[in-house]
C-alpha cells in the first residue's frame, strides 16, 4: 500500500470519528444528529466530489452512486450545508499534511523545506452580504466585485499547501504570513528546518526583526524603492549590509513594541544578492541565509522556486475551479474554498506516488517525463467518490491501484528553458484548445 493511499484512508477514518463530527457541528450539538437522507459524512463527500455543474445534477449524480433510489432537494441540501463549520476541510487538510510530513520521503533543498508565501484575490458572487463580509476589489466609481483575500503558505518542492486563510479582500499580507509561519511547526514538527521565500510586496524592517528573533530564515525580493541607499552602495553582487534604523525608519512604529525594539537595536545586518535578469537588468534579493549554507547561485535558484505558489493558485482557480461556487452565502463560499484546497493537496500526494511508478521506456525517451496534472486531477475527481464510499478494504485497494496506474500512464515531456512570448487579451474563441477542462 502506497503512503498516499494510507493517508487518504486515514482521512476517511477521521471523517467518521465523533470528535471530527463534533467539530463540523460548529458548537451546535443539535446539528446533524437526526437520521436524514444525507448524513454529515455524505455531506462532506459531496463537497469532495463537487464538479461545478448545476447543483441539481450534482446531487442527482451523487445520490445515484451513493444511495440509489433516494432523492434529496436543493433546499434540503443547502440547509444542511449552512450548519457545517466552514473550517472542517481546513482541519482535514492539516490532518493530511501532518501525516504527510510524518513520513521521511518528502523532498527538501539541502535539508530545508522551501516554503513560499503569497496572497491572491478570489472572485465571489457579488451580493450585499458578501460585500459587507469581504469587501470589493474594484476601484471607486466602478461596479463593485466582491472578493475574498486568500493567503497561502506553500511547500514548493512537495506541492502541498501548508496553511491558508480567507480574509477581507484587502488584508495585511506580511502580518498574515507571520501568523502562518508561526503555525508551521504544528504540521511539519519542530525538528525539520525550513526557509520562507516571498515576493517584493513583503519586505518590512519590522517583519525582518521579528522573524530573525524567532530564528526564521527568509529570502525576499526588493523593489527598487526599498533600502535605496543600501542598494546604491552595494560593493558586489553578494554583500552583507548594515541597515541603520534611523528616525525615518522608526517613525511609522513610534510608541509600539517593535518601534522600541528598533531603537534598541540601532541597525540590522542582512545579505543582499544581485541576480541578473534579461535585458541587462538586475533584481536584488535580501536574506538572512549565510553564504556558507547557500551560495549566490543557490540563492537565485531558491527565489526562482517561489514561482511554484503562482502555479498552485492557477491550479486552484483553473483546474479545480475554485471560483465555481455552490451558492452565494459566505459560509458556502468558505466551505468550497477549503474543500478545494484539500482536494489539491490530496491530488498532489497521489500524483507524487504515481510518478514514482517505474517507467520502462524512460531511458529511450528524448525528454524527461512528468505526469499530466490536469488529466490526473480529472481521473481523481472521477474515481475518488467510489473510494470514499467503498467499505470493503480489498475492493478499495483495487480502486487505488487503478488510479495510480491510470495517472502514471499519462505523461508529458519536460522541455527545459522553453519560453513563450507573453500576450495579453483574448486571442481565440470562448473555449481554448490548449486548456481543456478535466471534469
Amino acid at each position: 500500500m502506497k503512503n498516499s493511499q494510507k493517508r487518504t484512508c486515514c482521512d476517511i477514518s477521521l471523517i467518521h470519528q465523533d470528535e471530527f463530527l463534533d467539530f463540523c457541528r460548529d458548537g451546535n450539538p443539535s446539528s446533524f444528529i437526526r437520521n436524514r437522507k444525507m448524513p454529515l459524512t455524505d455531506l462532506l463527500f459531496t463537497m469532495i466530489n463537487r464538479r461545478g455543474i448545476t447543483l441539481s445534477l450534482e446531487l442527482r449524480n451523487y445520490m445515484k452512486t451513493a444511495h440509489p433510489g433516494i432523492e434529496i432537494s436543493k433546499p434540503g441540501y443547502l440547509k444542511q450545508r449552512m450548519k457545517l463549520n466552514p473550517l472542517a476541510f481546513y482541519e482535514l487538510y492539516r490532518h493530511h499534511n501532518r501525516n504527510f510530513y510524518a513520513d521521511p520521503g518528502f523532498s527538501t533543498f539541502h535539508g530545508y523545506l522551501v516554503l513560499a508565501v503569497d496572497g491572491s484575490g478570489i472572485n465571489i458572487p457579488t451580493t450585499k452580504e458578501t460585500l459587507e463580509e469581504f469587501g470589493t476589489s474594484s476601484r471607486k466609481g466602478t461596479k463593485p466585485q466582491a472578493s475574498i483575500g486568500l493567503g497561502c503558505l506553500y511547500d514548493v518542492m512537495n506541492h502541498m499547501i501548508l496553511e491558508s486563510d480567507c480574509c477581507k479582500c484587502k488584508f495585511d499580507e506580511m502580518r498574515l504570513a507571520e501568523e502562518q509561519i508561526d503555525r508551521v511547526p504544528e504540521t511539519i514538527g519542530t525538528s525539520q528546518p525550513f526557509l520562507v521565500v516571498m515576493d517584493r510586496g513583503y519586505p518590512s524592517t519590522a517583519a525582518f526583526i521579528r522573524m530573525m528573533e524567532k530564528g526564521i530564515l527568509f529570502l525576499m525580493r526588493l523593489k527598487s524603492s526599498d533600502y535605496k541607499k543600501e542598494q546604491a552602495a552595494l560593493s558586489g553582487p553578494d554583500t552583507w549590509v548594515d541597515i541603520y534604523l534611523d528616525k525615518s525608519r522608526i517613525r511609522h512604529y513610534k510608541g509600539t513594541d517593535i518601534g522600541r525594539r528598533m531603537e534598541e537595536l540601532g541597525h540590522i545586518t542582512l545579505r543582499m544578492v544581485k541576480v541578473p535578469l534579461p535585458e541587462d537588468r538586475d533584481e536584488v534579493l535580501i536574506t538572512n541565509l549565510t553564504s556558507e549554507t547557500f551560495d549566490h547561485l543557490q540563492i537565485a535558484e531558491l527565489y526562482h522556486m517561489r514561482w511554484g505558489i503562482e502555479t498552485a493558485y492557477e491550479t486552484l482557480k483553473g483546474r479545480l475551479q475554485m471560483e465555481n461556487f455552490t451558492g452565494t452565502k459566505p459560509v458556502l463560499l468558505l466551505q468550497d474554498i477549503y474543500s478545494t484546497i484539500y482536494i489539491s493537496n490530496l491530488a498532489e500526494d497521489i500524483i507524487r506516488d504515481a510518478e514514482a511508478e517505474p517507467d520502462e521506456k524512460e531511458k529511450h525517451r528524448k525528454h524527461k517525463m512528468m505526469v499530466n496534472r490536469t488529466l490526473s486531477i480529472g481521473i481523481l475527481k472521477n474515481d475518488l467518490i467510489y473510494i470514499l464510499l467503498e467499505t470493503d478494504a480489498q475492493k478499495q485497494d483495487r480502486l487505488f491501484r487503478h488510479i495510480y496506474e491510470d495517472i502514471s500512464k499519462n505523461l508529458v515531456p519536460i522541455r527545459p528553458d522553453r519560453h513563450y512570448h507573453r500576450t495579453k487579451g483574448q486571442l481565440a474563441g470562448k473555449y481554448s484548445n490548449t486548456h481543456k477542462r478535466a471534469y
Side-chain angles (χ1 to χ4, degrees):
M1 184 185 289
K2 295 185 184 294
N3 288 331
S4 58
Q5 180 179 344
K6 292 178 187 175
R7 288 187 281 267
T8 307
C9 291
C10 190
D11 294 346
I12 297 170
S13 175
L14 177 70
I15 287 173
H16 287 92
Q17 289 177 15
D18 291 340
E19 185 179 349
F20 182 74
L21 297 179
D22 285 340
F23 180 82
C24 292
R25 292 187 178 100
D26 200 14
N28 187 351
S30 63
S31 297
F32 307 114
I33 57 173
R34 291 173 59 188
N35 187 18
R36 293 182 175 272
K37 292 180 182 179
M38 182 170 283
L40 180 52
T41 51
D42 278 295
L43 195 70
L44 296 170
F45 289 165
T46 62
M47 296 167 67
I48 295 174
N49 192 52
R50 189 171 66 93
R51 294 166 180 269
I53 58 178
T54 181
L55 184 55
S56 297
L57 277 176
E58 293 264 27
L59 296 174
R60 174 185 177 274
N61 293 344
Y62 179 82
M63 297 304 282
K64 279 187 71 175
T65 304
H67 307 290
I70 299 176
E71 296 180 358
I72 185 168
S73 67
K74 284 199 304 183
Y77 173 75
L78 292 173
K79 188 176 179 181
Q80 290 290 84
R81 282 277 299 267
M82 291 298 293
K83 301 174 187 175
L84 177 65
N85 187 344
L87 293 178
F89 279 97
Y90 171 79
E91 287 300 315
L92 188 60
Y93 84 69
R94 291 185 84 214
H95 170 266
H96 187 96
N97 289 352
R98 285 193 292 272
N99 289 332
F100 179 85
Y101 290 100
D103 290 328
F106 55 84
S107 301
T108 60
F109 187 82
H110 297 280
Y112 291 82
L113 285 177
V114 182
L115 310 182
V117 174
D118 204 0
S120 182
I122 307 297
N123 284 341
I124 59 176
T126 301
T127 65
K128 183 180 178 182
E129 193 173 6
T130 56
L131 286 172
E132 288 175 356
E133 183 92 10
F134 302 109
T136 175
S137 57
S138 303
R139 295 178 182 176
K140 276 189 176 181
T142 60
K143 187 177 179 181
Q145 167 60 61
S147 180
I148 288 176
L150 177 63
C152 289
L153 184 68
Y154 181 71
D155 180 350
V156 298
M157 297 194 72
N158 297 291
H159 309 292
M160 304 293 279
I161 297 173
L162 294 186
E163 287 291 340
S164 65
D165 288 275
C166 292
C167 318
K168 284 186 172 289
C169 65
K170 293 174 179 142
F171 65 100
D172 187 336
E173 291 185 326
M174 188 66 244
R175 260 304 187 188
L176 180 63
E178 290 182 70
E179 293 171 10
Q180 292 179 337
I181 291 166
D182 288 342
R183 301 199 297 262
V184 166
E186 298 172 15
T187 299
I188 67 173
T190 55
S191 60
Q192 174 58 51
F194 66 90
L195 58 91
V196 186
V197 187
M198 306 183 195
D199 201 7
R200 57 185 172 181
Y202 284 88
S204 155
T205 305
F208 291 158
I209 293 171
R210 286 192 292 262
M211 288 193 287
M212 287 191 290
E213 293 188 340
K214 292 176 185 175
I216 295 165
L217 300 173
F218 58 84
L219 171 65
M220 302 186 199
R221 181 182 176 185
L222 294 177
K223 293 181 282 195
S224 58
S225 57
D226 293 329
Y227 307 113
K228 288 177 78 171
K229 287 189 295 184
E230 288 80 4
Q231 288 195 54
L234 286 177
S235 58
D238 189 349
T239 310
W240 285 92
V241 176
D242 288 329
I243 298 172
Y244 291 95
L245 307 177
D246 53 28
K247 289 182 180 179
S248 65
R249 284 177 174 154
I250 299 175
R251 184 175 64 241
H252 182 67
Y253 304 99
K254 198 74 176 174
T256 65
D257 290 340
I258 192 64
R260 287 186 283 272
R261 183 63 182 138
M262 291 168 79
E263 289 175 350
E264 289 173 12
L265 291 172
H267 78 280
I268 56 174
T269 303
L270 290 170
R271 182 181 173 195
M272 290 189 182
V273 179
K274 277 187 180 180
V275 177
L277 295 175
E279 300 175 5
D280 296 325
R281 293 183 297 117
D282 291 322
E283 65 181 8
V284 179
L285 309 177
I286 191 166
T287 182
N288 61 344
L289 295 167
T290 64
S291 50
E292 291 78 22
T293 310
F294 296 104
D295 62 27
H296 179 275
L297 294 176
Q298 289 168 331
I299 290 290
E301 185 180 355
L302 275 172
Y303 183 74
H304 180 71
M305 292 165 71
R306 191 205 69 85
W307 188 254
I309 194 169
E310 305 288 355
T311 306
Y313 277 123
E314 194 280 328
T315 297
L316 290 173
K317 294 181 181 182
R319 294 167 179 162
L320 288 168
Q321 304 175 47
M322 174 182 274
E323 295 173 321
N324 191 351
F325 292 106
T326 304
T328 63
K329 295 289 185 182
V331 65
L332 301 178
L333 304 178
L334 296 177
Q335 290 168 2
D336 287 345
I337 288 172
Y338 287 124
S339 64
T340 304
I341 291 173
Y342 170 70
I343 285 292
S344 174
N345 281 4
L346 181 63
E348 292 295 348
D349 195 8
I350 289 173
I351 288 169
R352 180 185 176 85
D353 276 347
E355 282 184 319
E357 291 282 327
D359 181 7
E360 297 174 0
K361 301 177 182 178
E362 179 70 34
K363 59 185 176 181
H364 302 295
R365 299 186 192 275
K366 179 181 177 181
H367 295 287
K368 186 178 172 70
M369 307 296 283
M370 65 179 286
V371 160
N372 184 324
R373 272 178 161 69
T374 301
L375 207 57
S376 300
I377 289 170
I379 291 168
L380 191 66
K381 274 287 191 179
N382 283 329
D383 295 359
L384 184 60
I385 185 61
Y386 303 108
I387 288 173
L388 296 174
L389 297 171
E390 186 54 68
T391 56
D392 185 283
Q394 288 186 332
K395 290 180 180 177
Q396 192 180 64
D397 184 61
R398 281 199 298 273
L399 291 169
F400 267 111
R401 285 205 307 272
H402 290 151
I403 284 180
Y404 290 123
E405 289 169 7
D406 289 347
I407 290 176
S408 63
K409 288 175 187 173
N410 291 285
L411 304 174
V412 290
I414 301 173
R415 295 183 171 91
D417 303 319
R418 171 171 277 197
H419 299 282
Y420 294 97
H421 178 67
R422 195 171 180 181
T423 56
K424 294 184 179 180
Q426 191 170 355
L427 299 179
K430 188 175 180 181
Y431 300 100
S432 168
N433 283 326
T434 55
H435 294 87
K436 296 289 188 186
R437 285 174 51 177
Y439 59 91

